[in-house]
Amino acid sequence: MGHDDRVSAHRGCLLGLFALASCGPIEPVQPPGFADAIALPTAVDLDPDPRIIEVELVARPTSLSLVPGGPTAMYGFDGAVPGPLIEARVGDRLVVHFRNELPEPTTVHWHGIRVPNAMDGVPEHTQPPVPPGGSFEYRFELPDEGLYWYHPHVRSAPQVGAGLYGAIVVRSVDEPAIDETVLVLSDVAVGEDGALLPADTGGDLATLFGREGNVLLVNGRVRPTIRARAGVPLRLRVVNAAISRYFQLALGSLPFRVIGGDAGFFASPRDVSRPVLTPGQRLDLVVVPRGTPGQALTLRWIPYDRGYGSTEFRDPEDLLTLLLERGPDAVVPIPPAPSRTFTPIDGSGASALEVELTRNDRDGRLALGFDGIPDWESTPYPARLGEVQRWTFRNTLDWAHPIHLHGFFFQPLDAAGRPLGHWADTIDVPVDGEASFLVRWDERPGLWMIHCHVLDHADAGMMGMVELSR
Ligand code: C2O
Ligand code: CU
């Protein structure tokens, strides 16, 4: 195991009320029901063993009311968008009885979780696609704290874009004693009549850009309002489940403390005014809302430059309103994040892989890829158990590409090749730029996917495989 430094918890307060009793007189709890307007459905645990979470999960067509013009026919896990929130603790086992009631094949991929290869949900490579009416049983341990998510891996852009995604929270034993709210951010492309726009709307140009929906969703809702007490820290655990849209967030001019990311708590939290999440990424944010009772604060999407057309003539958009209630007389300080250490991977003997992100059309068909090769023609990159690799992605295309590695966390490096100090599973490769990371292939041989998480790009070929052998 390569991540003991991240998961080994410094034992502090326990969860819930006990934390209040044992950790001093702060009152960190928001009014009950303060976030009801964005409540996620929760998965029903069928197993009485507290360390086993056994759920049924059904992918099926559903309908949402998003615009006045009419209902939107979508897909949802258990008919919900997002699907049910799965809540667990580090070390729990998850058993998912998955059933496909869609009119097309699908799978479930557990984004960010270090699953056994056969549980990774990649059609053809790790399992056969689940046909309409078919089922599949996913079973694995949840080895790491953090916020993860699940989504299909067949026709990813159309299926995720239609609403198939959900969040998984894996809690450590020393979570900070403040309220947390999971925010699943996404967008959906609908016409005035409410109908979902066809997934190929706009043709190749739209695929190259990466389609962004015109309706922004927070936990499946359009511009919801929640309540918050002024001066009381609020922990927002955010995942970007949009197929292409980057989310740059602002809450007035209030600073966000970033206490974690893809792989749980950071060793060193940082304060950021406008956190950015590429598709696939997660951020663990703490913000202290300030203002007078009755005042509304708005969490906004701010245009982020991910290439041509992503910021020009575009305005910020409202995501979520916080309606302030009277708080304590003194602002409650943000409690310290649980202590974590970061141990850099030794990259001195690393094998270097350099990958150019490319477009090389095939017979008039748009084809994106790695080094000129779309996934359907590619052969896996070899890796050996125990090997350390340094991957560098170069991007000379007109749009940024968030590259996601399945099944492993990696350590992003700065331009000088030094570790940035956290683990991640998704890294942004900006326009005319590059991004590098170190990965240690320490366990679980098999075929592991690596791809752009702008899902239109992935579907157009920007995917590859790593064959990890003994
Ligand atoms: Cu969330 Cu293969 O990705
Ligand atoms: Cu891309």
Side-chain angles (χ1 to χ4, degrees):
M1 306 288 273
H3 306 277
D4 318 301
D5 53 329
R6 276 181 325 90
V7 296
S8 69
H10 153 94
R11 285 172 192 263
C13 315
L14 291 175
L15 281 173
L17 286 176
F18 183 66
L20 291 181
S22 65
C23 298
I26 56 166
E27 285 180 38
V29 182
Q30 299 285 353
F34 81 105
D36 277 2
I38 53 168
L40 292 165
T42 48
V44 180
D45 183 0
L46 304 169
D47 192 309
D49 183 330
R51 304 313 309 262
I52 301 176
I53 294 151
E54 183 174 0
V55 300
E56 282 178 2
L57 194 66
V58 180
R60 61 177 173 83
T62 189
S63 174
L64 258 68
S65 173
L66 300 173
V67 295
T72 305
M74 299 180 69
Y75 287 166
F77 286 110
D78 290 2
V81 180
L85 175 68
I86 297 173
E87 296 182 89
R89 288 171 303 159
V90 173
D92 286 356
R93 287 195 67 77
L94 180 61
V95 180
V96 178
H97 304 283
F98 173 68
R99 223 167 51 245
N100 180 11
E101 293 181 2
L102 303 171
E104 57 179 299
T106 193
T107 58
V108 187
H109 167 61
W110 310 93
H111 184 124
I113 300 178
R114 294 189 295 142
V115 293
N117 192 247
M119 298 288 107
D120 200 37
V122 178
E124 315 304 346
H125 296 294
T126 70
Q127 69 167 97
V130 184
S135 54
F136 193 88
E137 195 174 284
Y138 294 96
R139 290 180 173 263
F140 48 88
E141 196 188 303
L142 300 163
D144 304 297
E145 68 188 21
L147 176 64
Y148 303 96
W149 63 299
Y150 57 94
H151 63 78
H153 229 288
V154 175
R155 296 201 329 124
S156 301
Q159 291 195 4
V160 176
L164 288 171
Y165 48 83
I168 304 174
V169 170
V170 184
R171 295 197 173 87
S172 69
V173 295
D174 59 350
E175 298 285 327
I178 49 174
D179 283 315
E180 62 169 60
T181 300
V182 172
L183 299 182
V184 183
L185 304 180
S186 189
D187 62 13
V188 59
V190 298
E192 253 168 58
D193 60 355
L196 208 57
L197 297 186
D200 60 357
T201 301
D204 283 353
L205 195 60
T207 303
L208 280 168
F209 179 67
R211 291 173 180 81
E212 295 186 12
N214 54 330
V215 176
L216 294 172
L217 298 176
V218 177
N219 293 0
R221 274 77 156 197
V222 183
R223 296 181 188 173
T225 297
I226 62 174
R227 294 183 290 148
R229 287 192 306 165
V232 178
L234 192 57
R235 181 177 175 199
L236 303 173
R237 310 188 70 172
V238 190
V239 48
N240 181 356
I243 61 171
S244 304
R245 181 186 292 264
Y246 284 44
F247 279 84
Q248 174 167 237
L249 304 174
L251 185 64
S253 57
L254 294 171
F256 292 90
R257 177 152 308 165
V258 188
I259 61 171
D262 290 349
F265 294 112
F266 287 161
S268 338
R270 36 200 100 147
D271 286 344
V272 167
S273 59
R274 292 183 165 182
V276 177
L277 296 100
T278 73
Q281 283 180 332
R282 285 85 66 211
L283 282 180
D284 198 340
L285 307 171
V286 181
V287 68
V288 184
R290 310 264 174 118
T292 50
Q295 189 184 337
L297 300 180
T298 306
L299 182 70
R300 287 205 171 85
W301 173 87
I302 308 292
Y304 178 78
D305 187 2
R306 63 174 183 90
Y308 179 72
S310 56
T311 53
E312 296 88 341
F313 311 111
R314 298 182 76 181
D315 295 318
E317 290 191 52
D318 294 356
L319 289 170
L320 171 72
T321 299
L322 301 183
L323 196 57
L324 290 188
E325 301 200 348
R326 179 170 306 285
D329 290 340
V331 168
V332 178
I334 297 178
S339 97
R340 295 291 184 270
T341 53
F342 174 82
T343 312
I345 295 173
D346 177 6
S348 53
S351 16
L353 283 94
E354 308 211 337
V355 179
E356 175 91 21
L357 302 170
T358 48
R359 171 183 182 180
N360 288 79
D361 293 2
R362 295 289 194 272
D363 307 319
R365 175 182 174 194
L366 174 67
L368 301 177
F370 294 164
D371 291 327
I373 302 166
D375 72 283
W376 57 86
E377 292 175 9
S378 69
T379 48
Y381 296 90
R384 295 210 83 90
L385 211 57
E387 185 176 358
V388 172
Q389 291 181 335
R390 179 187 294 103
W391 287 67
T392 301
F393 287 91
R394 278 184 231 295
N395 180 14
T396 54
L397 300 174
D398 290 334
W399 290 279
H401 301 281
I403 297 294
H404 167 53
L405 172 64
H406 283 208
F408 291 78
F409 297 116
F410 51 73
Q411 295 186 350
L413 304 174
D414 68 13
R418 288 174 305 235
L420 287 172
H422 65 274
W423 297 83
D425 60 46
T426 305
I427 191 176
D428 190 39
V429 190
V431 175
D432 289 327
E434 57 178 58
S436 308
F437 61 76
L438 281 176
V439 59
R440 183 165 52 209
W441 301 106
D442 50 0
E443 52 177 12
R444 292 168 297 130
L447 277 170
W448 296 102
M449 189 166 239
I450 183 161
H451 64 89
C452 181
H453 222 289
V454 167
L455 296 177
D456 277 319
H457 297 172
D459 288 354
M462 199 177 278
M463 300 195 286
M465 302 296 295
V466 173
E467 184 165 14
L468 176 56
S469 49
R470 288 182 188 283

Coordinates of all heavy atoms in Angstrom, one line a residue, residues 237-284:
R237 N -18.2 19.9 0.4 CA -17.4 18.8 -0.2 C -17.9 18.8 -1.7 O -19.0 18.3 -1.9 CB -17.5 17.5 0.5 CG -17.3 17.7 2.0 CD -17.2 16.4 2.8 NE -16.0 15.7 2.4 CZ -15.7 14.6 3.0 NH1 -16.4 14.1 4.0 NH2 -14.6 13.9 2.6
V238 N -17.1 19.2 -2.6 CA -17.6 19.5 -3.9 C -17.0 18.5 -4.9 O -15.8 18.2 -4.9 CB -17.2 20.9 -4.4 CG1 -17.9 21.3 -5.7 CG2 -17.5 21.9 -3.3
V239 N -17.9 18.0 -5.8 CA -17.4 17.2 -6.9 C -17.9 17.8 -8.2 O -19.1 18.3 -8.3 CB -17.8 15.7 -6.8 CG1 -19.3 15.6 -6.5 CG2 -17.5 14.9 -8.1
N240 N -17.1 17.9 -9.2 CA -17.5 18.3 -10.6 C -17.9 17.1 -11.4 O -17.0 16.4 -11.9 CB -16.4 19.2 -11.2 CG -16.9 19.7 -12.6 OD1 -18.0 19.4 -13.1 ND2 -16.0 20.5 -13.2
A241 N -19.2 16.9 -11.6 CA -19.7 15.8 -12.4 C -20.1 16.2 -13.8 O -20.7 15.4 -14.5 CB -20.8 15.1 -11.6
A242 N -19.8 17.4 -14.2 CA -20.2 17.9 -15.5 C -19.3 17.2 -16.5 O -18.2 16.8 -16.3 CB -20.0 19.4 -15.6
I243 N -19.8 17.0 -17.7 CA -19.1 16.3 -18.7 C -17.9 17.1 -19.3 O -16.9 16.6 -19.7 CB -19.9 15.7 -19.9 CG1 -20.7 16.8 -20.7 CG2 -20.9 14.7 -19.4 CD1 -21.3 16.3 -21.9
S244 N -18.0 18.4 -19.3 CA -17.0 19.3 -19.9 C -16.7 20.6 -19.1 O -15.6 21.1 -19.2 CB -17.4 19.7 -21.3 OG -17.6 18.6 -22.1
R245 N -17.7 21.1 -18.4 CA -17.6 22.4 -17.8 C -16.6 22.4 -16.6 O -16.6 21.5 -15.8 CB -19.0 22.8 -17.3 CG -19.0 24.2 -16.6 CD -20.4 24.5 -16.1 NE -21.4 24.7 -17.1 CZ -21.8 25.9 -17.6 NH1 -21.2 27.0 -17.1 NH2 -22.7 25.9 -18.5
Y246 N -15.7 23.3 -16.6 CA -14.9 23.6 -15.4 C -15.7 24.5 -14.5 O -16.4 25.4 -14.9 CB -13.6 24.3 -15.8 CG -12.5 23.5 -16.4 CD1 -12.8 22.6 -17.5 CD2 -11.2 23.6 -16.1 CE1 -11.8 21.8 -18.1 CE2 -10.2 22.9 -16.7 CZ -10.5 22.0 -17.7 OH -9.5 21.3 -18.3
F247 N -15.6 24.2 -13.2 CA -16.3 25.1 -12.2 C -15.3 25.9 -11.5 O -14.4 25.3 -10.7 CB -17.1 24.3 -11.2 CG -18.5 23.9 -11.8 CD1 -18.6 22.7 -12.5 CD2 -19.6 24.6 -11.5 CE1 -19.9 22.3 -13.1 CE2 -20.9 24.3 -12.0 CZ -21.0 23.1 -12.8
Q248 N -15.3 27.2 -11.7 CA -14.5 28.2 -10.9 C -15.6 28.8 -10.0 O -16.6 29.3 -10.5 CB -13.8 29.2 -11.7 CG -13.2 30.3 -10.9 CD -12.2 31.1 -11.7 OE1 -11.0 31.2 -11.4 NE2 -12.7 31.7 -12.8
L249 N -15.3 28.8 -8.7 CA -16.4 29.2 -7.7 C -16.0 30.5 -7.0 O -14.8 30.7 -6.7 CB -16.5 28.1 -6.7 CG -16.9 26.7 -7.2 CD1 -16.9 25.7 -6.0 CD2 -18.2 26.7 -7.9
A250 N -17.0 31.3 -6.7 CA -16.8 32.4 -5.9 C -18.0 32.6 -5.0 O -19.2 32.3 -5.4 CB -16.6 33.7 -6.8
L251 N -17.8 33.0 -3.8 CA -18.9 33.4 -2.8 C -18.6 34.8 -2.4 O -17.8 35.0 -1.4 CB -18.9 32.4 -1.7 CG -20.0 32.5 -0.6 CD1 -21.4 32.2 -1.3 CD2 -19.8 31.6 0.5
G252 N -19.1 35.7 -3.1 CA -18.7 37.1 -2.9 C -17.2 37.2 -2.9 O -16.6 36.6 -3.8
S253 N -16.6 37.9 -1.9 CA -15.2 37.9 -1.9 C -14.6 37.1 -0.7 O -13.5 37.3 -0.3 CB -14.7 39.3 -1.8 OG -15.3 39.9 -0.7
L254 N -15.5 36.2 -0.2 CA -15.0 35.4 0.9 C -14.0 34.4 0.5 O -14.1 33.7 -0.5 CB -16.3 34.6 1.5 CG -17.3 35.5 2.2 CD1 -18.6 34.7 2.5 CD2 -16.8 36.2 3.4
P255 N -13.0 34.2 1.3 CA -12.0 33.2 1.0 C -12.5 31.8 1.3 O -13.3 31.5 2.2 CB -10.8 33.5 1.9 CG -11.4 34.2 3.1 CD -12.7 34.9 2.6
F256 N -12.0 30.8 0.5 CA -12.2 29.4 0.8 C -11.0 28.8 1.4 O -9.9 29.0 0.9 CB -12.6 28.6 -0.5 CG -13.9 29.0 -1.1 CD1 -13.9 30.0 -2.0 CD2 -15.0 28.3 -0.8 CE1 -15.1 30.4 -2.7 CE2 -16.3 28.7 -1.4 CZ -16.3 29.7 -2.3
R257 N -11.1 28.0 2.4 CA -9.9 27.2 2.8 C -10.1 25.9 2.2 O -11.1 25.2 2.4 CB -9.9 27.1 4.4 CG -8.7 26.2 4.8 CD -8.2 26.6 6.2 NE -7.9 28.0 6.3 CZ -7.7 28.6 7.4 NH1 -7.8 27.9 8.5 NH2 -7.4 29.9 7.4
V258 N -9.1 25.5 1.4 CA -9.1 24.2 0.7 C -8.4 23.2 1.7 O -7.2 23.3 1.8 CB -8.4 24.3 -0.6 CG1 -8.6 23.0 -1.4 CG2 -8.9 25.5 -1.4
I259 N -9.2 22.3 2.2 CA -8.6 21.4 3.2 C -8.3 20.0 2.6 O -7.7 19.2 3.2 CB -9.4 21.2 4.5 CG1 -10.8 20.7 4.2 CG2 -9.5 22.6 5.2 CD1 -11.6 20.4 5.5
G260 N -8.8 19.8 1.4 CA -8.6 18.5 0.8 C -9.0 18.5 -0.7 O -9.4 19.5 -1.2
G261 N -8.7 17.4 -1.3 CA -9.0 17.3 -2.8 C -9.4 15.8 -3.1 O -10.0 15.1 -2.4
D262 N -8.9 15.4 -4.3 CA -9.3 14.1 -4.8 C -9.1 13.0 -3.8 O -9.8 12.0 -3.7 CB -8.4 13.7 -6.0 CG -8.8 14.6 -7.3 OD1 -9.8 15.3 -7.2 OD2 -8.0 14.5 -8.3
A263 N -8.0 13.1 -3.0 CA -7.5 12.0 -2.2 C -7.6 12.3 -0.7 O -6.8 11.8 0.1 CB -6.1 11.6 -2.6
G264 N -8.6 13.0 -0.3 CA -8.8 13.3 1.1 C -8.1 14.6 1.5 O -7.7 15.4 0.7
F265 N -7.9 14.7 2.9 CA -7.3 15.9 3.4 C -5.9 16.1 2.9 O -5.1 15.2 2.7 CB -7.3 15.7 5.0 CG -8.6 15.7 5.6 CD1 -9.1 14.6 6.2 CD2 -9.5 16.8 5.6 CE1 -10.3 14.5 6.8 CE2 -10.7 16.8 6.2 CZ -11.2 15.6 6.8
F266 N -5.6 17.4 2.7 CA -4.3 17.8 2.4 C -3.4 17.9 3.6 O -3.9 18.1 4.7 CB -4.3 19.3 1.8 CG -4.9 19.4 0.4 CD1 -5.3 20.7 0.0 CD2 -5.0 18.3 -0.5 CE1 -5.8 20.8 -1.3 CE2 -5.5 18.5 -1.7 CZ -5.9 19.7 -2.2
A267 N -2.1 17.7 3.4 CA -1.2 17.9 4.5 C -1.1 19.4 4.9 O -1.0 19.8 6.0 CB 0.2 17.4 4.1
S268 N -1.2 20.3 3.9 CA -1.2 21.7 4.2 C -2.4 22.4 3.5 O -2.4 22.6 2.3 CB 0.0 22.4 3.7 OG 1.1 21.5 3.5
P269 N -3.4 22.8 4.3 CA -4.6 23.5 3.7 C -4.1 24.8 3.1 O -3.1 25.3 3.5 CB -5.5 23.7 4.9 CG -5.1 22.7 5.9 CD -3.6 22.5 5.7
R270 N -4.8 25.3 2.1 CA -4.5 26.6 1.5 C -5.7 27.5 1.4 O -6.8 26.9 1.2 CB -3.8 26.4 0.2 CG -4.3 25.2 -0.6 CD -3.4 24.7 -1.7 NE -2.7 23.5 -1.2 CZ -2.3 22.4 -2.0 NH1 -2.5 22.5 -3.3 NH2 -1.7 21.4 -1.6
D271 N -5.5 28.8 1.5 CA -6.6 29.7 1.3 C -6.7 30.1 -0.2 O -5.7 30.5 -0.7 CB -6.6 30.9 2.2 CG -6.9 30.4 3.7 OD1 -7.5 29.3 3.8 OD2 -6.6 31.2 4.6
V272 N -7.9 30.1 -0.8 CA -8.0 30.4 -2.2 C -9.3 31.2 -2.3 O -10.2 31.0 -1.7 CB -8.2 29.0 -3.0 CG1 -8.6 29.2 -4.4 CG2 -6.9 28.2 -2.9
S273 N -9.2 32.2 -3.2 CA -10.4 33.0 -3.4 C -11.4 32.4 -4.4 O -12.6 32.5 -4.2 CB -10.0 34.5 -3.8 OG -9.3 34.5 -5.0
R274 N -10.8 31.8 -5.4 CA -11.7 31.2 -6.4 C -11.3 29.8 -6.8 O -10.5 29.6 -7.8 CB -11.8 32.1 -7.7 CG -12.5 33.4 -7.4 CD -12.5 34.2 -8.7 NE -13.5 35.3 -8.5 CZ -13.8 36.2 -9.5 NH1 -13.2 36.1 -10.7 NH2 -14.7 37.1 -9.2
P275 N -11.7 28.8 -6.0 CA -11.3 27.4 -6.3 C -11.8 27.0 -7.7 O -12.9 27.4 -8.1 CB -11.9 26.6 -5.2 CG -12.9 27.5 -4.5 CD -12.6 28.9 -4.9
V276 N -11.0 26.2 -8.3 CA -11.4 25.6 -9.7 C -11.4 24.1 -9.6 O -10.5 23.5 -9.1 CB -10.4 26.1 -10.7 CG1 -10.7 25.5 -12.1 CG2 -10.3 27.6 -10.8
L277 N -12.5 23.5 -10.2 CA -12.6 22.1 -10.3 C -12.7 21.7 -11.8 O -13.7 22.2 -12.4 CB -13.8 21.5 -9.6 CG -13.8 21.6 -8.1 CD1 -14.7 22.8 -7.7 CD2 -14.3 20.3 -7.4
T278 N -11.8 20.9 -12.3 CA -12.0 20.4 -13.7 C -13.0 19.3 -13.5 O -13.3 18.8 -12.5 CB -10.7 19.8 -14.2 OG1 -10.5 18.6 -13.6 CG2 -9.5 20.7 -14.1
P279 N -13.6 18.9 -14.7 CA -14.5 17.7 -14.6 C -13.7 16.5 -13.9 O -12.6 16.3 -14.2 CB -14.8 17.4 -16.1 CG -14.7 18.7 -16.8 CD -13.6 19.5 -16.0
G280 N -14.4 15.9 -13.0 CA -13.9 14.7 -12.3 C -13.2 15.1 -11.0 O -13.2 14.2 -10.1
Q281 N -12.8 16.3 -10.8 CA -12.1 16.6 -9.6 C -13.0 16.9 -8.4 O -14.1 17.2 -8.6 CB -11.2 17.9 -9.8 CG -9.9 17.6 -10.6 CD -9.1 18.8 -10.7 OE1 -9.5 20.0 -10.8 NE2 -7.8 18.6 -10.9
R282 N -12.4 16.7 -7.2 CA -13.1 17.1 -6.0 C -12.3 18.1 -5.2 O -11.1 18.1 -5.3 CB -13.4 15.8 -5.1 CG -14.5 14.9 -5.6 CD -14.0 13.9 -6.6 NE -13.0 13.0 -6.0 CZ -12.1 12.4 -6.7 NH1 -11.8 12.7 -8.0 NH2 -11.3 11.5 -6.1
L283 N -13.0 18.9 -4.4 CA -12.3 19.8 -3.5 C -13.1 19.8 -2.2 O -14.4 19.7 -2.2 CB -12.3 21.3 -4.0 CG -11.2 21.6 -5.1 CD1 -11.3 23.0 -5.5 CD2 -9.8 21.2 -4.6
D284 N -12.4 19.9 -1.1 CA -13.0 20.0 0.2 C -12.7 21.4 0.7 O -11.6 21.8 1.0 CB -12.3 18.9 1.1 CG -13.1 18.6 2.3 OD1 -14.0 19.4 2.7 OD2 -12.8 17.5 2.9

